Amino acid sequence: MTPSAISFKPAQIGNRGLLAATLILLSWLGMLIFLLNFPIDWKNPLIYLFVLIQTHLYTGVFITAHDAIHGVVAPHNKRLNYWIGFLCTTLFAFNNYNRLSRKHHLHHQHSATHDDPDFHDGNPHFLAWYYSFLKEYISVIQIVLMGITYNILKIWFPMENLIVFWMVPAILSTFQLFYFGTYLPHRGEHHNPPHNARSQKLNHITAFLSCYFFGYHAEHHNWPYLPWWKLPEARVKSDELRMKN
């Protein structure tokens, strides 16, 4: 039996995907409102901690959009699932949900091949691949909308706070998502076609902190209908199966 043959029941997700999405979105929004009014003192270590927390929450917003693409945020209400995904991609630097959805499904169909929009086989180095990844997803309209939003928000919030707690975490989050969710899982040679993905070592704490368990990437490709919070269970079952074999 291969790992992909292990059975999981999507129906078990129920409303937990919606609860997870609500928690992440409210945490991100509440933290952002708090931080945009927080006095910045570069000698205060909390500043750097808050940037890291907000970066992680930004990543969670994108992961929620990703789960919506796979239909598991609100699996029993397709319209609600769509609009949550649309909201999350919009909050994440005005990304286009439909465009992301189309490209992500191509990634699953042609993982780590020249037909994969997330893959860069011409140069495996991190920065070259990251640059290629950004070009694939960033559009001029996003930059324009971000600029307009910034100029509106600075009417009410300090410019420094907007840069430190709104813009910087968003940029750092793209590094986090790319490094742990694309680069590490798909670089180099693979021996598990057609998924061509590997997983990090089993450690739920580091897996959550690094990228909401998406370091368990082979499991995500084996069971793309599983939400991020079900991946630890899949990773454990995969390890148990490998040990038996």
Side-chain angles (χ1 to χ4, degrees), residues 50 69 100 107-108 122-123 159 209 230:
F50 287 154
I69 287 171
L100 279 174
H107 166 66
H108 275 268
N123 189 332
M159 179 181 68
L209 292 176
K230 290 282 285 183

Side-chain angles (χ1 to χ4, degrees), residues 68-115:
I69 287 171
H70 286 288
V72 295
V73 170
H76 305 300
N77 189 328
K78 291 184 178 180
R79 179 172 293 183
L80 178 60
N81 183 86
Y82 173 87
W83 285 111
I84 291 175
F86 183 90
L87 173 64
C88 289
T89 53
T90 301
L91 293 175
F92 198 93
F94 294 100
N95 275 276
N96 184 302
Y97 178 76
N98 293 322
R99 183 166 176 256
L100 279 174
S101 178
R102 183 177 67 253
K103 286 180 178 289
H104 188 66
H105 285 299
L106 285 173
H107 166 66
H108 275 268
Q109 294 166 12
H110 308 286
S111 182
T113 70
H114 69 278
D115 293 319

Side-chain angles (χ1 to χ4, degrees), residues 93-147:
F94 294 100
N95 275 276
N96 184 302
Y97 178 76
N98 293 322
R99 183 166 176 256
L100 279 174
S101 178
R102 183 177 67 253
K103 286 180 178 289
H104 188 66
H105 285 299
L106 285 173
H107 166 66
H108 275 268
Q109 294 166 12
H110 308 286
S111 182
T113 70
H114 69 278
D115 293 319
D116 178 359
D118 293 358
F119 190 63
H120 184 55
D121 56 357
N123 189 332
H125 296 296
F126 173 81
L127 290 178
W129 192 342
Y130 178 67
Y131 176 67
S132 172
F133 184 82
L134 291 182
K135 284 200 305 179
E136 192 71 35
Y137 289 100
I138 294 179
S139 65
V140 173
I141 187 64
Q142 284 178 254
I143 297 173
V144 171
L145 289 172
M146 286 292 286

